[in-house]
Amino acid sequence: MPAEVPAAGRIPVRKTYKLYMGGAFPRSESGRCYPVTGSGGAHLANAALASRKDARDAVVAARSAFSGWSGRTAYNRGQILYRIAEMMEGRRAQFAAEITEADGVSAERADELVSAAVDRWVYYAGWPDKVGQVLGAANPVSGPYFNLSQPEPTGVVAILAPPTGPLLGLVSVVAPVIATGNTAVVVAGERAPLPALTLAEALATSDLPGGVVNILTGRTGEIAPHLASHADVDGLDLTGAEPGTAADL
């Protein structure tokens, strides 16, 4: 029997945006959310307002995933990053629509930004097995032995995503962190977090192990101090920090 045509007045299924931690999509433990609006002020969605507890849970997930991720071969990490680029390519239309709504740019410009983001991810997918060659060295010594330098991952890195470039800016700070064997806790840009959450869906359906990238949405000024003072966070990317607070963080 042929499928029935849906009624013209059907109610659309609206997405409930959540956090991304440990490979899952939990709600904020605080139960809070905040409205996300487009460039013209139209309401787009409600995003979870992450709390201190959410930040701590994300760090636990990142630390749990670190040994497994950093222990993989560089070649395998590069393959997984390339797989993520494939998943992003399949969501081009969704990314472009979200960028258009967030920044008010034309469809053509949004498509260019998505292309740049995917291409940048592919660029970093080629780096994992080359970092050691570029940054490592055989050091001259005065003795009958070899002295070698080899870069190692830092550990858990907290990333404050830039407030502009909700997809391209995000890729620019996340991809190099995980390409070099680190795990990440990302605070998405407060103004336009939806592309970051769509990227989380691409990460979740790729081969990336859960916990390698964890994405929080909410107020950067509220979450950042807890990450900066966390004893299990090994590094900070302050790209999205306010100039007045970057030094304190």
Side-chain angles (χ1 to χ4, degrees), residues 25-155:
F25 292 89
R27 301 177 186 273
S28 171
E29 63 83 27
S30 67
R32 301 178 302 167
C33 64
Y34 72 100
V36 177
T37 57
S39 59
H43 181 268
L44 301 178
N46 290 328
L49 194 59
S51 66
R52 176 184 180 182
K53 177 65 164 54
D54 294 320
R56 294 173 62 184
D57 290 344
V59 173
V60 170
R63 177 58 64 190
S64 299
F66 173 68
S67 60
W69 180 242
S70 61
R72 288 176 179 257
T73 65
Y75 180 73
N76 180 245
R77 288 202 303 269
Q79 287 181 312
I80 292 174
L81 262 71
Y82 189 81
R83 175 61 176 163
I84 295 170
E86 293 177 342
M87 304 307 293
M88 292 175 64
E89 186 75 19
R91 289 178 174 266
R92 290 184 59 89
Q94 184 177 0
F95 279 126
E98 290 171 346
I99 292 173
T100 298
E101 292 173 337
D103 292 341
V105 299
S106 65
E108 292 77 13
R109 177 56 179 164
D111 190 64
E112 292 174 358
L113 292 170
V114 174
S115 295
V118 175
D119 292 348
R120 187 160 300 178
W121 198 281
V122 172
Y123 168 80
Y124 281 110
W127 266 105
D129 60 353
K130 301 174 183 65
V131 173
Q133 302 173 50
V134 174
L135 299 180
N139 307 306
V141 293
S142 57
Y145 51 85
F146 289 105
N147 182 280
L148 304 175
S149 297
Q150 182 69 19
E152 296 180 349
T154 297

Side-chain angles (χ1 to χ4, degrees), residues 176-192:
V177 168
I178 65 173
T180 47
N182 303 288
T183 55
V185 176
V186 185
V187 182
E190 180 180 351
R191 179 187 63 84

